[in-house]
Amino acid sequence: MNAKNDAVLRVENLNVGFGAVPAVRGVSLSIDRGQCLALVGESGSGKSVTARSLIGLAGDTADVSAERMELGGESLTGLGRRGWRQLRGSKVGFVLQDALVSLDPLRTVGREIEDSLRLRTRLTGAERSRRVLSLLADVGMDDPQLRAGQRSGELSGGLRQRALIASAIALDPALLIADEPTTALDATVQAQILDLLASLRERGTAMLLISHDLAVVGSVADQVAVMTEGRIVEQGPVAQVLGSPQHDYTKKLLRAVPSGHPRGARLSGLPGPSSLSVSYGPAAAKPKAADSGVPQSGAGVPVLAATALAKRFRTPDKTSFTAVDHVSFELGAGETLGLVGESGSGKTTIARIALGLTVPDAGEVRLFGEPWSTLTEKDRRSRRPLIGTVYQDPLSSFDPRLTIGQTLADAATGGRTLNPRGSAKQVKDLLEMVGLPADFARRGPRTLSGGQRQRVAIARALAPRPRILICDEPASALDVSIQAQILDLLDDLQRELGLSYLFISHDLGVVRHMSDRVAVLRRGRIVEQGPAEQLFSAPQHPYTQQLLASSPALEAR
Amino acid sequence: MSGSTPEQPAPGRPALSDDGRGPARTLADGVRLPTTVRWLLAKVVGAVFVLWAVATLIFFGIRLIPGDPAEAILGGPGSQASPEALEQVRRDYGLDQPLLVQYFTQLGRLVQGDLGDSYSLRMPVAELLGNQLPGTLLLSALALLVAWLLALGLAGWSTLNGKAAAVVASGLEIAAAAVPHFWLASILILLFSNTLGWLPPVSTNSADGLVLPVLALALPLAGFLGQVMRESMLNAMTSPFALSARARGEGETGVLFRHALRHAALPGIALSGWAFGSLLSGAVVVESIFARPGLGRTLLNAVTLRDIPLVTGVALVSALAYVVVMAASDVAERAADPRLRAA
């Protein structure tokens, strides 16, 4: 930040408040031409509000003030409605997260991109159409003519994001603000979008990149500003901030990133429980004990074994789509098998087959060596308590009208009662197991934070005392420090209770940290399977190598 | 109506292949009719089924009403018809035949397009309907149009004018939706005809004769449509794509017209088929109050006089109008929302 005269954006002491609630406190930023500043922080840290304040879109209720806010030498403080509108699009481009909802689903992407040109240039319709096509080609669209006539719903995630970027750079703005531009994308697609952003920066566009993902930041940005509770706590060159962080919060964020941390290492920095004081029934206390209800997993017999699973679905135009193709795996007692793959690779279908919710077209799942997927639902029901499941979004999997206590009582009694009083001890134990105070039983799911909700989801999954947990992206919707706590919790529970996990995630770092063995899925097939460390350090299949290469990773430090 | 449901990708099944072009279409499974033709065929088959069901229900339903149809033909119970005359009429009209024979005879006539003669008016039903239908259709179509304009206008105004405007709009909508047609019609006549003297209390097909009945029909519908349209308009205005549009430099009015309006129209279009049906039944009341000739009044008289052919005719025509309007609103919905067209 030495070339002061070259600064495209200069902000000094920016404050934004909503009523009495301060959202941004004393933020100062400066971005030079062709430079990328990354604003990093977790949800609620004020990074998006900061970005929106820079284009005057913080909202009607926002109270924005700054000592200095300049774009290309022009002051932004005191701009009126009209002034802001002139500036948006032409001098600042703005790319939002998840283009599926950031592009109007009822209009073609060509029209969306053309809007910027129509508003701020005097080009004729034909000239605008030509410009749209060349913009689409610039952002790496394979068939601009075709794409311009399509709507966001017809495009894949990566193409949508490209279209959105094209609409933001249509007028060649000096500053591009990208708010979580790759968060909803698969690793390989994310890598392509990051390349595109890097090439724009090389053309001289200044960039403000907003992200919660330190790995993404490390691969694109020159400068990093770490934000929490509305303040920038640390700012400097990427290598310096990520390499030798000074502030405690930055250190905590970096430690929470699972990639590069060996299995079993704690991510949250919080001490693990010395031992769970609660009982988990006979199965947990003596994992190998022969109990009438719990089958014995004799030596060598996997708790869950899938053989040559296949599942096809009919697509809307009557062709069929192979979701799972010849998938076989085994899950041993107390082991974690990671299933990793991009969206559409069949991860969730496999989870549903393992849970006995989807009937495979071919192949079989056996539970503790006995038939499972071939049983009728009636025969399966008595053994259902053996398998629990944790989903990505617990909010939609909770009944909003039930308290946490009722939800847990329901799960603990197999649906016989919602009354938490009769099973108060169980509910209290379950909450304690997942590190929540007992008075949470009286609260509703909406009053909980994302991390607390996921803890309750885990407690609910544990309520029938399962031996196997199927975790489908259990921490993907959470901030990295909360994710770290949830992953630590799952680790502790596995050690204490001897659980087996089928751990599904698109995040290579998370899977590597959590799994003993990993299976890599691609288009419904397992392309590679093996011990986690071996698979990640020496991947054999080209697809695994490609996945690893495209996932931006922080070097272990 | 198999094959006519709008097909959307089910969750868990990707609608798109990797390149985003959608799954490749194969011609391997034989020649299939184009989607539009198949859709149209399904609609026609559905419509025939609905018309048959209506004709059947009316035929048997009207016989549950006590009284003698032969008497009705001869001018009702007050006509003091002789037993011989009644017997003669029964033979002439086939009323002495077993019920099922009568049913199939009538069905056979309907298939040939013969709606029979009205008992009470001694005229071919088809001709009667031909005279009455246009007025009612005009009234209903105008009411639908006015309801749309009022609903969209109110939604747009409240969206651009903040919280207070939203409260006002919501109040107006609820009040309008809650008001029954007959009460509204009476109030409108009291206010605009009796007190102010601006408009005639009796409706004709002239412009000023149409204003009050159209308003009486349109206002409650506008209130109802407004509630759904305003909600989806507000959702669109606060959506990420609206934020993106503003970030491109679009003004509030631009966001409203270019983006939010379409989103607001979608639920309105989906409801319009149903709304048109409710307007047809509302027309019965409104036509009576404004002494306006039309299908509604014809139906009212026909039911009172047990005029079976006429009741059947009116019901069939209403059902047909309903089916056509539902299909039209389906087409409009597909045109407005590309997501509904099969991938």
Side-chain angles (χ1 to χ4, degrees), chain A residues 300-343:
Chain A
V301 177
V303 295
L304 190 74
T307 332
L309 294 181
K311 182 73 193 173
R312 294 167 78 81
F313 289 113
R314 263 161 45 119
T315 51
D317 65 348
K318 312 271 169 17
T319 57
S320 72
F321 164 78
T322 305
V324 175
D325 191 7
H326 213 84
V327 163
S328 303
F329 59 84
E330 287 185 351
L331 178 63
E335 185 193 43
T336 299
L337 173 66
L339 275 183
V340 68
E342 308 205 310
S343 37

mmCIF file of all heavy atoms in Angstrom, chain A residues 300-343:
data_model
loop_
_atom_site.group_PDB
_atom_site.id
_atom_site.type_symbol
_atom_site.label_atom_id
_atom_site.label_comp_id
_atom_site.label_asym_id
_atom_site.label_seq_id
_atom_site.Cartn_x
_atom_site.Cartn_y
_atom_site.Cartn_z
ATOM 1 N N GLY A 300 -13.479 -59.013 11.928
ATOM 2 C CA GLY A 300 -13.441 -59.135 10.471
ATOM 3 C C GLY A 300 -14.754 -58.847 9.788
ATOM 4 O O GLY A 300 -14.752 -58.546 8.602
ATOM 5 N N VAL A 301 -15.866 -58.908 10.508
ATOM 6 C CA VAL A 301 -17.135 -58.622 9.846
ATOM 7 C C VAL A 301 -17.382 -57.118 9.858
ATOM 8 O O VAL A 301 -17.440 -56.517 10.928
ATOM 9 C CB VAL A 301 -18.316 -59.332 10.550
ATOM 10 C CG1 VAL A 301 -19.622 -58.966 9.880
ATOM 11 C CG2 VAL A 301 -18.089 -60.830 10.534
ATOM 12 N N PRO A 302 -17.479 -56.500 8.695
ATOM 13 C CA PRO A 302 -17.691 -55.058 8.680
ATOM 14 C C PRO A 302 -19.081 -54.717 9.203
ATOM 15 O O PRO A 302 -20.012 -55.510 9.043
ATOM 16 C CB PRO A 302 -17.559 -54.696 7.196
ATOM 17 C CG PRO A 302 -17.802 -55.964 6.459
ATOM 18 C CD PRO A 302 -17.411 -57.083 7.355
ATOM 19 N N VAL A 303 -19.206 -53.534 9.831
ATOM 20 C CA VAL A 303 -20.511 -53.147 10.357
ATOM 21 C C VAL A 303 -21.462 -52.824 9.208
ATOM 22 O O VAL A 303 -22.665 -53.007 9.300
ATOM 23 C CB VAL A 303 -20.407 -51.937 11.318
ATOM 24 C CG1 VAL A 303 -19.616 -52.325 12.558
ATOM 25 C CG2 VAL A 303 -19.791 -50.731 10.648
ATOM 26 N N LEU A 304 -20.898 -52.337 8.128
ATOM 27 C CA LEU A 304 -21.729 -51.993 6.976
ATOM 28 C C LEU A 304 -20.929 -52.389 5.740
ATOM 29 O O LEU A 304 -19.767 -52.017 5.600
ATOM 30 C CB LEU A 304 -22.003 -50.487 6.966
ATOM 31 C CG LEU A 304 -23.040 -49.970 5.975
ATOM 32 C CD1 LEU A 304 -24.437 -50.329 6.451
ATOM 33 C CD2 LEU A 304 -22.929 -48.458 5.842
ATOM 34 N N ALA A 305 -21.547 -53.170 4.862
ATOM 35 C CA ALA A 305 -20.833 -53.598 3.659
ATOM 36 C C ALA A 305 -21.740 -53.433 2.447
ATOM 37 O O ALA A 305 -22.868 -53.917 2.441
ATOM 38 C CB ALA A 305 -20.406 -55.053 3.800
ATOM 39 N N ALA A 306 -21.244 -52.719 1.458
ATOM 40 C CA ALA A 306 -22.014 -52.531 0.234
ATOM 41 C C ALA A 306 -21.318 -53.294 -0.885
ATOM 42 O O ALA A 306 -20.102 -53.229 -1.021
ATOM 43 C CB ALA A 306 -22.093 -51.054 -0.120
ATOM 44 N N THR A 307 -22.110 -54.027 -1.663
ATOM 45 C CA THR A 307 -21.534 -54.800 -2.763
ATOM 46 C C THR A 307 -22.217 -54.426 -4.066
ATOM 47 O O THR A 307 -23.433 -54.561 -4.194
ATOM 48 C CB THR A 307 -21.759 -56.315 -2.531
ATOM 49 O OG1 THR A 307 -21.830 -56.553 -1.129
ATOM 50 C CG2 THR A 307 -20.645 -57.118 -3.147
ATOM 51 N N ALA A 308 -21.431 -53.932 -4.993
ATOM 52 C CA ALA A 308 -21.885 -53.685 -6.374
ATOM 53 C C ALA A 308 -23.223 -52.958 -6.439
ATOM 54 O O ALA A 308 -24.130 -53.355 -7.153
ATOM 55 C CB ALA A 308 -21.966 -55.007 -7.141
ATOM 56 N N LEU A 309 -23.335 -51.863 -5.670
ATOM 57 C CA LEU A 309 -24.575 -51.087 -5.695
ATOM 58 C C LEU A 309 -24.744 -50.378 -7.031
ATOM 59 O O LEU A 309 -23.780 -49.887 -7.604
ATOM 60 C CB LEU A 309 -24.572 -50.025 -4.595
ATOM 61 C CG LEU A 309 -24.596 -50.488 -3.147
ATOM 62 C CD1 LEU A 309 -24.601 -49.278 -2.231
ATOM 63 C CD2 LEU A 309 -25.811 -51.362 -2.899
ATOM 64 N N ALA A 310 -25.980 -50.331 -7.517
ATOM 65 C CA ALA A 310 -26.276 -49.560 -8.721
ATOM 66 C C ALA A 310 -27.637 -48.918 -8.552
ATOM 67 O O ALA A 310 -28.540 -49.498 -7.947
ATOM 68 C CB ALA A 310 -26.264 -50.457 -9.948
ATOM 69 N N LYS A 311 -27.759 -47.705 -9.032
ATOM 70 C CA LYS A 311 -29.059 -47.026 -8.994
ATOM 71 C C LYS A 311 -29.169 -46.087 -10.180
ATOM 72 O O LYS A 311 -28.281 -45.280 -10.433
ATOM 73 C CB LYS A 311 -29.207 -46.234 -7.687
ATOM 74 C CG LYS A 311 -30.548 -45.526 -7.537
ATOM 75 C CD LYS A 311 -31.652 -46.510 -7.247
ATOM 76 C CE LYS A 311 -33.039 -45.885 -7.393
ATOM 77 N NZ LYS A 311 -34.098 -46.904 -7.268
ATOM 78 N N ARG A 312 -30.257 -46.242 -10.912
ATOM 79 C CA ARG A 312 -30.517 -45.334 -12.034
ATOM 80 C C ARG A 312 -31.786 -44.553 -11.756
ATOM 81 O O ARG A 312 -32.709 -45.062 -11.143
ATOM 82 C CB ARG A 312 -30.697 -46.126 -13.334
ATOM 83 C CG ARG A 312 -29.449 -46.842 -13.792
ATOM 84 C CD ARG A 312 -29.767 -47.827 -14.879
ATOM 85 N NE ARG A 312 -29.937 -47.179 -16.169
ATOM 86 C CZ ARG A 312 -28.929 -46.812 -16.952
ATOM 87 N NH1 ARG A 312 -27.696 -47.034 -16.570
ATOM 88 N NH2 ARG A 312 -29.149 -46.237 -18.097
ATOM 89 N N PHE A 313 -31.805 -43.308 -12.200
ATOM 90 C CA PHE A 313 -33.013 -42.503 -12.091
ATOM 91 C C PHE A 313 -33.475 -42.114 -13.480
ATOM 92 O O PHE A 313 -32.659 -41.964 -14.373
ATOM 93 C CB PHE A 313 -32.755 -41.224 -11.295
ATOM 94 C CG PHE A 313 -32.544 -41.449 -9.836
ATOM 95 C CD1 PHE A 313 -31.316 -41.205 -9.253
ATOM 96 C CD2 PHE A 313 -33.581 -41.912 -9.041
ATOM 97 C CE1 PHE A 313 -31.120 -41.412 -7.902
ATOM 98 C CE2 PHE A 313 -33.389 -42.120 -7.698
ATOM 99 C CZ PHE A 313 -32.157 -41.869 -7.129
ATOM 100 N N ARG A 314 -34.786 -41.954 -13.631
ATOM 101 C CA ARG A 314 -35.295 -41.431 -14.898
ATOM 102 C C ARG A 314 -35.220 -39.918 -14.879
ATOM 103 O O ARG A 314 -35.603 -39.286 -13.921
ATOM 104 C CB ARG A 314 -36.739 -41.863 -15.111
ATOM 105 C CG ARG A 314 -36.834 -43.094 -16.002
ATOM 106 C CD ARG A 314 -38.157 -43.775 -15.839
ATOM 107 N NE ARG A 314 -39.257 -42.832 -15.836
ATOM 108 C CZ ARG A 314 -40.235 -42.861 -16.745
ATOM 109 N NH1 ARG A 314 -40.209 -43.725 -17.720
ATOM 110 N NH2 ARG A 314 -41.233 -42.023 -16.648
ATOM 111 N N THR A 315 -34.706 -39.334 -15.936
ATOM 112 C CA THR A 315 -34.666 -37.873 -16.024
ATOM 113 C C THR A 315 -35.973 -37.396 -16.639
ATOM 114 O O THR A 315 -36.717 -38.194 -17.197
ATOM 115 C CB THR A 315 -33.489 -37.417 -16.892
ATOM 116 O OG1 THR A 315 -33.554 -38.124 -18.113
ATOM 117 C CG2 THR A 315 -32.173 -37.672 -16.217
ATOM 118 N N PRO A 316 -36.262 -36.090 -16.536
ATOM 119 C CA PRO A 316 -37.544 -35.592 -17.039
ATOM 120 C C PRO A 316 -37.818 -35.954 -18.500
ATOM 121 O O PRO A 316 -38.960 -36.174 -18.866
ATOM 122 C CB PRO A 316 -37.416 -34.082 -16.874
ATOM 123 C CG PRO A 316 -36.471 -33.913 -15.753
ATOM 124 C CD PRO A 316 -35.506 -35.061 -15.842
ATOM 125 N N ASP A 317 -36.792 -36.016 -19.336
ATOM 126 C CA ASP A 317 -37.105 -36.325 -20.735
ATOM 127 C C ASP A 317 -36.991 -37.819 -21.018
ATOM 128 O O ASP A 317 -36.692 -38.224 -22.132
ATOM 129 C CB ASP A 317 -36.237 -35.491 -21.686
ATOM 130 C CG ASP A 317 -34.770 -35.848 -21.552
ATOM 131 O OD1 ASP A 317 -34.437 -36.541 -20.589
ATOM 132 O OD2 ASP A 317 -33.975 -35.428 -22.401
ATOM 133 N N LYS A 318 -37.236 -38.621 -19.969
ATOM 134 C CA LYS A 318 -37.426 -40.061 -20.115
ATOM 135 C C LYS A 318 -36.143 -40.846 -20.414
ATOM 136 O O LYS A 318 -36.202 -42.036 -20.634
ATOM 137 C CB LYS A 318 -38.484 -40.403 -21.191
ATOM 138 C CG LYS A 318 -39.765 -39.613 -21.055
ATOM 139 C CD LYS A 318 -40.722 -40.334 -20.140
ATOM 140 C CE LYS A 318 -41.931 -39.555 -19.708
ATOM 141 N NZ LYS A 318 -42.361 -38.404 -20.374
ATOM 142 N N THR A 319 -35.011 -40.172 -20.493
ATOM 143 C CA THR A 319 -33.783 -40.939 -20.577
ATOM 144 C C THR A 319 -33.419 -41.291 -19.143
ATOM 145 O O THR A 319 -34.043 -40.819 -18.204
ATOM 146 C CB THR A 319 -32.642 -40.122 -21.204
ATOM 147 O OG1 THR A 319 -32.466 -38.954 -20.425
ATOM 148 C CG2 THR A 319 -32.963 -39.758 -22.630
ATOM 149 N N SER A 320 -32.411 -42.112 -18.943
ATOM 150 C CA SER A 320 -32.111 -42.416 -17.567
ATOM 151 C C SER A 320 -30.715 -41.960 -17.215
ATOM 152 O O SER A 320 -29.862 -41.740 -18.064
ATOM 153 C CB SER A 320 -32.297 -43.908 -17.289
ATOM 154 O OG SER A 320 -31.261 -44.619 -17.900
ATOM 155 N N PHE A 321 -30.531 -41.789 -15.925
ATOM 156 C CA PHE A 321 -29.321 -41.191 -15.406
ATOM 157 C C PHE A 321 -28.770 -42.138 -14.360
ATOM 158 O O PHE A 321 -29.492 -42.556 -13.459
ATOM 159 C CB PHE A 321 -29.684 -39.839 -14.804
ATOM 160 C CG PHE A 321 -28.639 -39.263 -13.910
ATOM 161 C CD1 PHE A 321 -27.522 -38.659 -14.440
ATOM 162 C CD2 PHE A 321 -28.779 -39.331 -12.527
ATOM 163 C CE1 PHE A 321 -26.558 -38.118 -13.613
ATOM 164 C CE2 PHE A 321 -27.817 -38.799 -11.697
ATOM 165 C CZ PHE A 321 -26.703 -38.195 -12.258
ATOM 166 N N THR A 322 -27.531 -42.524 -14.495
ATOM 167 C CA THR A 322 -26.947 -43.466 -13.557
ATOM 168 C C THR A 322 -26.342 -42.693 -12.389
ATOM 169 O O THR A 322 -25.343 -42.006 -12.546
ATOM 170 C CB THR A 322 -25.863 -44.307 -14.237
ATOM 171 O OG1 THR A 322 -26.447 -44.915 -15.387
ATOM 172 C CG2 THR A 322 -25.361 -45.381 -13.308
ATOM 173 N N ALA A 323 -26.975 -42.797 -11.237
ATOM 174 C CA ALA A 323 -26.510 -42.045 -10.071
ATOM 175 C C ALA A 323 -25.419 -42.818 -9.330
ATOM 176 O O ALA A 323 -24.466 -42.223 -8.839
ATOM 177 C CB ALA A 323 -27.668 -41.756 -9.131
ATOM 178 N N VAL A 324 -25.583 -44.129 -9.278
ATOM 179 C CA VAL A 324 -24.618 -44.971 -8.579
ATOM 180 C C VAL A 324 -24.348 -46.182 -9.454
ATOM 181 O O VAL A 324 -25.274 -46.799 -9.974
ATOM 182 C CB VAL A 324 -25.170 -45.428 -7.207
ATOM 183 C CG1 VAL A 324 -24.212 -46.410 -6.556
ATOM 184 C CG2 VAL A 324 -25.400 -44.241 -6.303
ATOM 185 N N ASP A 325 -23.083 -46.492 -9.642
ATOM 186 C CA ASP A 325 -22.724 -47.532 -10.597
ATOM 187 C C ASP A 325 -21.641 -48.430 -9.994
ATOM 188 O O ASP A 325 -20.511 -47.990 -9.786
ATOM 189 C CB ASP A 325 -22.222 -46.843 -11.878
ATOM 190 C CG ASP A 325 -22.072 -47.816 -13.028
ATOM 191 O OD1 ASP A 325 -22.492 -48.978 -12.857
ATOM 192 O OD2 ASP A 325 -21.535 -47.406 -14.054
ATOM 193 N N HIS A 326 -22.015 -49.658 -9.693
ATOM 194 C CA HIS A 326 -21.061 -50.647 -9.235
ATOM 195 C C HIS A 326 -20.198 -50.148 -8.057
ATOM 196 O O HIS A 326 -18.976 -50.171 -8.107
ATOM 197 C CB HIS A 326 -20.146 -51.060 -10.395
ATOM 198 C CG HIS A 326 -19.746 -52.501 -10.276
ATOM 199 N ND1 HIS A 326 -20.537 -53.529 -10.733
ATOM 200 C CD2 HIS A 326 -18.656 -53.084 -9.724
ATOM 201 C CE1 HIS A 326 -19.949 -54.673 -10.480
ATOM 202 N NE2 HIS A 326 -18.809 -54.438 -9.861
ATOM 203 N N VAL A 327 -20.870 -49.713 -7.022
ATOM 204 C CA VAL A 327 -20.151 -49.174 -5.862
ATOM 205 C C VAL A 327 -20.081 -50.231 -4.766
ATOM 206 O O VAL A 327 -21.096 -50.789 -4.368
ATOM 207 C CB VAL A 327 -20.861 -47.903 -5.340
ATOM 208 C CG1 VAL A 327 -20.393 -47.568 -3.938
ATOM 209 C CG2 VAL A 327 -20.601 -46.741 -6.277
ATOM 210 N N SER A 328 -18.875 -50.510 -4.329
ATOM 211 C CA SER A 328 -18.682 -51.455 -3.219
ATOM 212 C C SER A 328 -17.773 -50.813 -2.171
ATOM 213 O O SER A 328 -16.802 -50.148 -2.524
ATOM 214 C CB SER A 328 -18.006 -52.744 -3.711
ATOM 215 O OG SER A 328 -18.762 -53.328 -4.741
ATOM 216 N N PHE A 329 -18.117 -50.994 -0.923
ATOM 217 C CA PHE A 329 -17.229 -50.516 0.142
ATOM 218 C C PHE A 329 -17.558 -51.259 1.422
ATOM 219 O O PHE A 329 -18.621 -51.890 1.536
ATOM 220 C CB PHE A 329 -17.351 -49.007 0.348
ATOM 221 C CG PHE A 329 -18.729 -48.549 0.708
ATOM 222 C CD1 PHE A 329 -19.183 -48.581 2.019
ATOM 223 C CD2 PHE A 329 -19.585 -48.057 -0.275
ATOM 224 C CE1 PHE A 329 -20.455 -48.153 2.353
ATOM 225 C CE2 PHE A 329 -20.869 -47.634 0.055
ATOM 226 C CZ PHE A 329 -21.301 -47.683 1.359
ATOM 227 N N GLU A 330 -16.641 -51.187 2.349
ATOM 228 C CA GLU A 330 -16.878 -51.783 3.664
ATOM 229 C C GLU A 330 -16.529 -50.764 4.736
ATOM 230 O O GLU A 330 -15.579 -50.002 4.577
ATOM 231 C CB GLU A 330 -15.994 -53.021 3.853
ATOM 232 C CG GLU A 330 -16.456 -54.200 3.029
ATOM 233 C CD GLU A 330 -15.630 -55.440 3.323
ATOM 234 O OE1 GLU A 330 -14.601 -55.311 4.035
ATOM 235 O OE2 GLU A 330 -16.013 -56.507 2.847
ATOM 236 N N LEU A 331 -17.315 -50.780 5.800
ATOM 237 C CA LEU A 331 -17.058 -49.884 6.918
ATOM 238 C C LEU A 331 -16.826 -50.750 8.152
ATOM 239 O O LEU A 331 -17.699 -51.531 8.534
ATOM 240 C CB LEU A 331 -18.262 -48.957 7.117
ATOM 241 C CG LEU A 331 -18.219 -47.967 8.272
ATOM 242 C CD1 LEU A 331 -17.087 -46.976 8.103
ATOM 243 C CD2 LEU A 331 -19.555 -47.224 8.378
ATOM 244 N N GLY A 332 -15.625 -50.641 8.733
ATOM 245 C CA GLY A 332 -15.299 -51.471 9.886
ATOM 246 C C GLY A 332 -15.754 -50.825 11.184
ATOM 247 O O GLY A 332 -16.083 -49.647 11.231
ATOM 248 N N ALA A 333 -15.756 -51.583 12.274
ATOM 249 C CA ALA A 333 -16.167 -51.063 13.577
ATOM 250 C C ALA A 333 -15.204 -49.966 14.021
ATOM 251 O O ALA A 333 -13.989 -50.125 13.928
ATOM 252 C CB ALA A 333 -16.210 -52.192 14.597
ATOM 253 N N GLY A 334 -15.747 -48.849 14.480
ATOM 254 C CA GLY A 334 -14.937 -47.753 14.976
ATOM 255 C C GLY A 334 -14.151 -47.023 13.911
ATOM 256 O O GLY A 334 -13.277 -46.210 14.221
ATOM 257 N N GLU A 335 -14.485 -47.275 12.648
ATOM 258 C CA GLU A 335 -13.717 -46.693 11.556
ATOM 259 C C GLU A 335 -14.506 -45.566 10.895
ATOM 260 O O GLU A 335 -15.726 -45.512 10.973
ATOM 261 C CB GLU A 335 -13.452 -47.802 10.519
ATOM 262 C CG GLU A 335 -12.560 -47.364 9.387
ATOM 263 C CD GLU A 335 -12.585 -48.371 8.227
ATOM 264 O OE1 GLU A 335 -13.684 -48.847 7.877
ATOM 265 O OE2 GLU A 335 -11.530 -48.639 7.674
ATOM 266 N N THR A 336 -13.786 -44.650 10.230
ATOM 267 C CA THR A 336 -14.462 -43.647 9.414
ATOM 268 C C THR A 336 -14.082 -43.856 7.960
ATOM 269 O O THR A 336 -12.905 -43.899 7.615
ATOM 270 C CB THR A 336 -14.058 -42.219 9.816
ATOM 271 O OG1 THR A 336 -14.418 -42.003 11.173
ATOM 272 C CG2 THR A 336 -14.760 -41.197 8.934
ATOM 273 N N LEU A 337 -15.118 -44.037 7.139
ATOM 274 C CA LEU A 337 -14.895 -44.119 5.707
ATOM 275 C C LEU A 337 -15.368 -42.801 5.094
ATOM 276 O O LEU A 337 -16.523 -42.415 5.265
ATOM 277 C CB LEU A 337 -15.668 -45.293 5.098
ATOM 278 C CG LEU A 337 -15.647 -45.370 3.571
ATOM 279 C CD1 LEU A 337 -14.243 -45.659 3.049
ATOM 280 C CD2 LEU A 337 -16.619 -46.436 3.065
ATOM 281 N N GLY A 338 -14.458 -42.107 4.447
ATOM 282 C CA GLY A 338 -14.836 -40.843 3.809
ATOM 283 C C GLY A 338 -15.293 -41.077 2.386
ATOM 284 O O GLY A 338 -14.656 -41.831 1.647
ATOM 285 N N LEU A 339 -16.422 -40.460 2.015
ATOM 286 C CA LEU A 339 -16.879 -40.503 0.627
ATOM 287 C C LEU A 339 -16.735 -39.094 0.083
ATOM 288 O O LEU A 339 -17.384 -38.178 0.574
ATOM 289 C CB LEU A 339 -18.349 -40.900 0.541
ATOM 290 C CG LEU A 339 -18.734 -42.369 0.537
ATOM 291 C CD1 LEU A 339 -20.228 -42.504 0.374
ATOM 292 C CD2 LEU A 339 -18.020 -43.100 -0.577
ATOM 293 N N VAL A 340 -15.869 -38.918 -0.902
ATOM 294 C CA VAL A 340 -15.653 -37.572 -1.397
ATOM 295 C C VAL A 340 -15.977 -37.526 -2.891
ATOM 296 O O VAL A 340 -15.741 -38.480 -3.627
ATOM 297 C CB VAL A 340 -14.201 -37.102 -1.109
ATOM 298 C CG1 VAL A 340 -13.199 -37.881 -1.915
ATOM 299 C CG2 VAL A 340 -14.045 -35.620 -1.351
ATOM 300 N N GLY A 341 -16.566 -36.425 -3.321
ATOM 301 C CA GLY A 341 -16.919 -36.283 -4.728
ATOM 302 C C GLY A 341 -17.621 -34.963 -4.940
ATOM 303 O O GLY A 341 -18.058 -34.328 -3.977
ATOM 304 N N GLU A 342 -17.720 -34.539 -6.189
ATOM 305 C CA GLU A 342 -18.358 -33.265 -6.473
ATOM 306 C C GLU A 342 -19.864 -33.455 -6.559
ATOM 307 O O GLU A 342 -20.361 -34.573 -6.472
ATOM 308 C CB GLU A 342 -17.783 -32.684 -7.771
ATOM 309 C CG GLU A 342 -16.261 -32.638 -7.717
ATOM 310 C CD GLU A 342 -15.670 -31.594 -8.623
ATOM 311 O OE1 GLU A 342 -16.053 -31.566 -9.802
ATOM 312 O OE2 GLU A 342 -14.834 -30.811 -8.150
ATOM 313 N N SER A 343 -20.607 -32.349 -6.744
ATOM 314 C CA SER A 343 -22.049 -32.497 -6.762
ATOM 315 C C SER A 343 -22.472 -33.365 -7.947
ATOM 316 O O SER A 343 -21.908 -33.279 -9.031
ATOM 317 C CB SER A 343 -22.737 -31.134 -6.828
ATOM 318 O OG SER A 343 -22.032 -30.256 -7.638
#
